[in-house]
Amino acid sequence: MRLRLSACVLLLLALPAAAAPPLRIAAAANLKPALDALVVAFVQEEPGASIDAIYGSSGKLHAQIRNGAPFDLFFSADRDYPQSLADSGHSHGPPRTYARGRIVLWSRTREAEALRLELLEAPAVTRIAIANPRLAPYGRAAEQALRRSGLWERIAHKLVYGENIAQTAQFAASGNTEVGIIALSLALNPALARSGRHIEIPEDLHDPIEQDFIITRRGAAHPLASRFAAFVMADAGRAILQRHGFSAPLGAKAAGTD
């Protein structure tokens, strides 16, 4: 009996340890090209790491986390949603700013030199895509830019709202609208860069789009959560973000500086 028991113990010790569950990341839609690249680079450094990234509007992802959705990290397109989760006890530690975004005017039919905000008043422009300002921080920035430029009231009847910034870009790219106000990170994506043109909207027309992330309360127990967060904030991660149209956070001295 003792020999049989010992053999069973040895057999159990020889079995591989159960793999850690995938790291689940909730991320703003504007982050998809950059985060996909970050995940690839991170897995190269951490072979065998399993990561699932879910993209959507920051507002909807925020609500899902509050309602118990099993995410380990949340990368928002603003600062308010992560701070709200921290205030309500859904965060492991305070939010951290990982990037600053930009909005652009994008069109598949207009050349870059013809693109300007005043174009939106032209009779030939009948539909303009922006993200829903109630759900998407990039939509709020678009509304601010249109209000501060004095255009909002004159073109409000032309606006078509996407649930998130990725859907907004799809509206413009598909031809459902003549113009879209989308994230620079999406305009630089090869498919959109080949099919259309863009100009950056001056930053003084909207509040800075500072983007924060949190490790969720659930994520505190995941062995990869803090390591992935550190990778994003380090030089290699910031370089990837910058290649995809994100600036360093305001106040950051250089890439990799917290």
Side-chain angles (χ1 to χ4, degrees), residues 40 51 60 68 86 90 108 141 183 235:
V40 169
I51 300 177
K60 286 202 167 184
H90 291 82
R108 62 181 298 190
D235 288 346

Side-chain angles (χ1 to χ4, degrees), residues 161-219:
Y161 296 101
E163 182 177 287
N164 55 58
I165 199 65
Q167 186 181 68
T168 304
Q170 290 171 5
F171 287 164
S174 67
N176 287 329
T177 67
E178 291 90 3
V179 183
I181 298 179
I182 67 172
L184 174 61
S185 58
L186 297 181
L188 294 178
N189 198 37
L192 288 183
R194 287 192 300 267
S195 62
R197 302 290 183 270
H198 74 271
I199 61 162
E200 295 184 20
I201 293 174
E203 283 190 287
D204 59 3
L205 289 178
H206 60 83
D207 296 342
I209 309 174
E210 295 277 354
Q211 302 193 194
D212 282 13
F213 78 92
I214 58 165
I215 297 175
T216 67
R217 190 170 54 196
R218 163 197 161 101

Side-chain angles (χ1 to χ4, degrees), residues 98 232-235 238-239 242 247-258:
Y98 65 92
V232 171
M233 297 297 286
D235 288 346
R238 291 222 175 142
Q242 288 173 6
S247 302
L250 293 173
K253 296 179 182 179
T257 302
D258 293 341

Side-chain angles (χ1 to χ4, degrees), residues 1-248:
M1 178 66 70
R2 189 173 299 170
L3 288 175
R4 288 181 183 174
L5 182 60
S6 298
C8 289
V9 170
L10 289 173
L11 180 61
L12 288 172
L13 290 174
L15 291 174
L23 181 70
R24 289 178 53 84
I25 301 175
N30 77 296
L31 196 59
K32 188 179 191 311
L35 188 59
D36 285 350
L38 286 165
V39 168
V40 169
F42 179 77
V43 171
Q44 288 176 345
E45 292 193 1
E46 300 258 0
S50 178
I51 300 177
D52 291 338
I54 308 299
Y55 298 98
S57 69
S58 296
K60 286 202 167 184
L61 293 171
H62 163 267
Q64 290 172 14
I65 293 171
R66 286 185 67 98
N67 290 326
F71 293 117
D72 303 301
L73 287 156
F74 172 43
F75 286 86
S76 181
D78 73 347
R79 310 185 84 172
D80 293 342
Y81 288 127
Q83 187 61 56
S84 170
L85 291 172
D87 292 342
S88 60
H90 291 82
S91 169
H92 174 67
R96 300 180 68 190
T97 304
Y98 65 92
R100 189 171 85 253
R102 295 292 304 272
I103 53 174
V104 303
L105 200 61
W106 187 94
S107 175
R108 62 181 298 190
T109 59
R110 267 69 175 182
E111 293 299 323
E113 57 269 19
L115 283 175
R116 59 191 188 281
L117 285 176
E118 292 76 13
L119 167 71
L120 303 180
E121 289 190 272
V125 176
T126 61
R127 291 162 67 85
I128 303 159
I130 72 169
N132 187 335
R134 293 181 301 158
L135 296 173
Y138 278 73
R140 290 201 296 271
E143 180 179 350
Q144 288 175 347
L146 293 172
R147 288 189 182 279
R148 292 178 187 178
S149 60
L151 293 170
W152 179 264
E153 297 297 336
R154 298 201 291 273
I155 67 168
H157 63 287
K158 301 182 180 184
L159 297 178
V160 176
Y161 296 101
E163 182 177 287
N164 55 58
I165 199 65
Q167 186 181 68
T168 304
Q170 290 171 5
F171 287 164
S174 67
N176 287 329
T177 67
E178 291 90 3
V179 183
I181 298 179
I182 67 172
L184 174 61
S185 58
L186 297 181
L188 294 178
N189 198 37
L192 288 183
R194 287 192 300 267
S195 62
R197 302 290 183 270
H198 74 271
I199 61 162
E200 295 184 20
I201 293 174
E203 283 190 287
D204 59 3
L205 289 178
H206 60 83
D207 296 342
I209 309 174
E210 295 277 354
Q211 302 193 194
D212 282 13
F213 78 92
I214 58 165
I215 297 175
T216 67
R217 190 170 54 196
R218 163 197 161 101
H222 199 293
L224 289 181
S226 60
R227 299 211 294 274
F228 187 82
F231 178 80
V232 171
M233 297 297 286
D235 288 346
R238 291 222 175 142
I240 291 171
L241 287 166
Q242 288 173 6
R243 286 200 300 272
H244 285 83
F246 294 95
S247 302

